[in-house]
Amino acid sequence: MNDWIAIQPQDDVIIALRDYAKGECITLPDGVSFTLLDDVPKGHKIAVHTLAPGDDVMKYGFSIGIAQEQIEQGSWIHSHNLKTGLHGLLEYEYQPGAQVQTDMPPEHLLSFDGYLRPNGEAGIRNEIWIVNTVGCINKVCEALARMGQSQFGSRVDGVFHFPHPFGCSQLGDDLKYTQQLLASLVEHPNAGGVLVIGLGCENNQVDEFRECIAPEYRGKVRFLKAQETDDELEEGLRLMEELVEIVEHEQRQPLPLSKLKIGLKCGGSDGLSGITANPLVGAVADMLVAAGGTAILTEVPEMFGAETILMNRAANEQVFHDLVDLVNGFKQYFVNHGQNIYENPSPGNKAGGITTLEEKSLGCTQKGGRSSVVDVLRYGKRVTQTGLNIVEAPGNDLVSVTALSAAGAHIVLFTTGRGTPFGGPVPTVKIATQSDLANRKKHWIDFNAGQLLEGQTMDEVKVQLFSQLIDIASGRSHTLSEQHGFREIAIFKDGVIL
């Protein structure tokens, strides 16, 4: 294993794979040697030649920012000498690239064992979900979920409630988009049955919310107004039992990968995210798309600086324009709130070695692999086309994973260089960028992409991860967040920006 890695031949930097001390010597493959002028933490960038003030600094074969001062060979490159090159709103031109042929999964991984729902959709879990229309009854729903799990948990794959604080005094689009997000969760095929509970006096009225749910899904839903029943817990259990009796006889059966949808997300990224975990997830997404399945990418602000890579992969000009509107709409959202469009990365990202937003975005977008972008979805909407879709949502981890789930993702592949324990409403697979994290946080991390720095090839590791994905989809294994009972949602405020 090398102590550093070069990504592209034209790059101005190499990436440290261990902590380096000032004075150590590095020899490049072409025989050029130099001495480090600074201490350089693991995951951070080292200049391989001298850069002048104003020069673009190249990583991944693209500019990740502008040198603020002369950067000598062997220097540590980070926030003190590198700044973003992004500014203002941009105009884009459709310049479609050639479609790339991606690998099919191995033959033994071309199907999964799932639940075939009456409308032809697939579920990978046969759960009962409790969705409340208003935050005032979170604790009632929490109590019902505990009681339901105790009483019915052996007959289904679990009873779950996803608390949120909204629905009371919301108006207009704010209410509309909360309803859209919650309705899409109600329609999710991992939920064989759903109990919708309202209080009775909230703006998000049960009868109004019922109309947000497509008619074809209402048969799996029961509705309860807490203020209109003498004992909401007793009535809730009765309605849950009705649902359990409907779904408990569902059996897994072999289903084609065309029915499987995965969400793609990163959080707590570090300098290795764009080198190990994100390219790995992109390779897995490409395999699924090649087999007729669906991958869903989000966190739009973390496309800024790399958005043209995705735009040039738009399946047609309409998708290109939809993607332009999505990106510029999110930029305008920041402007409307008086915020710097390019004020990113986060403190944790910077500590891990990411300096600028374009550096973060160039790593982040690799989760989308190389497939064509077939559709762009508004926040809270569900996927209708197989292939690579992009859904509107911010970088916030919980908000984005919730949006991916609402869009129809059965599983979310979540890459991280810093680690996180949380899980969304669907199985959330935490993928470490490096072995140190995977070994230290074994109770958080489901898969170690750090193998890619330790002699394993991408072809080997992507099949490992794809195999684990199929096992999770088939119910043969469960993510650590599922095992710990970590299931949460978060709703994006300020509505949709397209």
Side-chain angles (χ1 to χ4, degrees):
M1 171 181 164
N2 286 332
D3 290 336
W4 53 268
I5 187 170
I7 304 172
Q8 295 291 341
Q10 65 267 44
D11 287 351
D12 299 312
V13 301
I14 57 175
I15 312 304
L17 299 182
R18 63 168 173 83
D19 291 339
Y20 272 92
K22 178 179 178 180
E24 290 194 64
C25 184
I26 287 179
T27 301
L28 301 176
D30 60 6
V32 172
S33 295
F34 58 86
T35 299
L36 292 186
L37 304 180
D38 306 288
D39 294 336
V40 181
K42 180 179 179 179
H44 286 242
K45 297 174 289 295
I46 301 169
V48 297
H49 51 247
T50 298
L51 295 157
D55 281 354
D56 284 300
V57 177
M58 306 295 286
K59 180 183 176 185
Y60 304 115
F62 295 89
S63 174
I64 59 167
I66 308 298
Q68 299 187 72
E69 60 188 40
Q70 180 151 314
I71 301 174
E72 302 293 342
Q73 183 184 50
S75 296
W76 173 37
I77 296 183
H78 201 34
S79 305
H80 59 289
N81 55 14
L82 177 66
K83 66 178 181 180
T84 181
L86 302 175
H87 54 85
L89 300 178
L90 302 177
E91 294 185 1
Y92 302 95
E93 181 181 352
Y94 184 39
Q95 297 179 329
Q99 290 194 356
V100 176
Q101 186 71 33
T102 57
D103 293 340
M104 285 283 289
E107 188 171 350
H108 69 285
L109 297 176
L110 287 175
S111 67
F112 67 101
D113 295 334
Y115 298 98
L116 186 63
R117 301 305 184 191
N119 65 356
E121 291 185 342
I124 68 165
R125 299 289 183 267
N126 199 32
E127 299 170 341
I128 302 296
W129 288 4
I130 300 173
V131 174
N132 49 300
T133 63
V134 65
C136 309
I137 52 171
N138 277 337
K139 290 301 179 181
V140 168
C141 296
E142 181 182 304
L144 264 174
R146 285 196 305 267
M147 296 163 68
Q149 179 63 31
S150 176
Q151 191 162 332
F152 309 120
S154 63
R155 298 163 63 182
V156 292
D157 288 341
V159 178
F160 300 98
H161 167 239
F162 308 115
H164 66 86
F166 304 120
C168 179
S169 56
Q170 291 179 275
L171 299 169
D173 285 348
D174 186 36
L175 174 60
K176 174 184 174 182
Y177 295 118
T178 293
Q179 290 174 325
Q180 176 65 65
L181 187 283
L182 293 175
S184 290
L185 288 176
V186 168
E187 295 169 0
H188 199 287
N190 283 5
V194 180
L195 176 60
V196 171
I197 306 181
L199 181 58
C201 55
E202 65 273 18
N203 283 16
N204 188 17
Q205 286 283 301
V206 166
D207 291 338
E208 181 182 340
F209 180 63
R210 186 198 310 260
E211 297 306 308
C212 299
I213 301 167
E216 65 184 280
Y217 297 98
R218 293 178 196 166
K220 73 167 188 175
V221 187
R222 297 295 181 268
F223 299 90
L224 172 62
K225 301 176 185 178
Q227 290 175 340
E228 296 182 9
T229 185
D230 292 341
D231 188 332
E232 66 277 1
L233 295 178
E234 180 180 336
E235 178 65 6
L237 283 173
R238 185 188 70 78
L239 292 173
M240 266 195 282
E241 185 163 26
E242 283 187 16
L243 294 170
V244 170
E245 288 173 351
I246 293 172
V247 304
E248 66 178 332
H249 302 297
E250 296 277 350
Q251 299 291 321
R252 290 186 182 271
Q253 57 183 287
L255 297 173
L257 291 181
S258 58
K259 292 189 177 296
L260 187 62
K261 303 178 180 71
I262 60 171
L264 314 170
K265 179 70 179 79
C266 56
S269 299
D270 68 358
L272 300 176
S273 293
I275 298 171
T276 60
N278 289 353
L280 171 62
V281 164
V284 167
D286 282 341
M287 290 170 69
L288 181 61
V289 168
T294 300
I296 313 169
L297 181 67
T298 188
E299 53 193 335
V300 178
E302 294 172 20
M303 299 173 186
F304 298 168
E307 65 267 44
T308 56
I309 296 173
L310 294 170
M311 291 173 180
N312 293 340
R313 283 166 38 202
N316 55 56
E317 198 160 356
Q318 182 58 56
V319 173
F320 165 77
H321 288 300
D322 290 344
L323 188 49
V324 169
D325 290 344
L326 176 66
V327 169
N328 281 340
F330 241 109
K331 289 181 179 180
Q332 190 62 48
Y333 167 77
F334 285 107
V335 172
N336 292 346
H337 287 77
Q339 299 298 311
N340 185 336
I341 295 174
Y342 305 113
E343 187 57 41
N344 204 322
S346 69
N349 296 152
K350 291 179 180 178
I354 299 173
T355 307
T356 63
L357 179 54
E358 51 264 58
E359 180 181 9
K360 185 175 183 179
S361 296
L362 287 163
C364 176
T365 54
Q366 291 188 58
K367 299 191 305 296
R370 298 179 295 168
S371 301
S372 296
V373 178
V374 298
D375 202 5
V376 177
L377 306 175
R378 298 184 71 147
Y379 174 74
K381 291 291 188 178
R382 303 189 72 227
V383 164
T384 60
Q385 297 189 48
T386 59
L388 177 61
N389 291 252
I390 295 179
V391 66
E392 176 188 36
N396 179 286
D397 292 348
L398 260 176
V399 172
S400 288
V401 170
T402 303
L404 290 169
S405 303
H410 296 101
I411 299 171
V412 172
L413 301 184
F414 188 103
T415 68
T416 180
R418 311 285 291 177
T420 182
F422 95 97
V426 302
T428 307
V429 182
K430 256 65 70 57
I431 303 168
T433 66
Q434 54 178 300
S435 296
D436 288 350
L437 174 62
N439 293 330
R440 186 169 57 85
K441 286 292 189 181
K442 293 180 179 179
H443 57 300
W444 287 1
I445 300 300
D446 297 283
F447 192 88
N448 178 21
Q451 300 173 72
L452 292 167
L453 302 175
E454 298 164 359
Q456 297 294 303
T457 67
M458 179 63 78
D459 285 343
E460 293 169 333
V461 179
K462 72 181 183 183
V463 172
Q464 288 180 37
L465 180 54
F466 202 93
S467 179
Q468 185 166 330
L469 176 70
I470 298 303
D471 281 346
I472 291 169
S474 301
R476 293 189 289 268
S477 67
H478 292 76
T479 65
L480 288 169
S481 56
E482 286 184 284
Q483 294 173 37
H484 297 320
F486 295 170
R487 308 275 292 255
E488 301 176 77
I489 67 168
I491 299 174
F492 184 38
K493 298 300 293 178
D494 243 322
V496 160
I497 33 204
L498 274 179

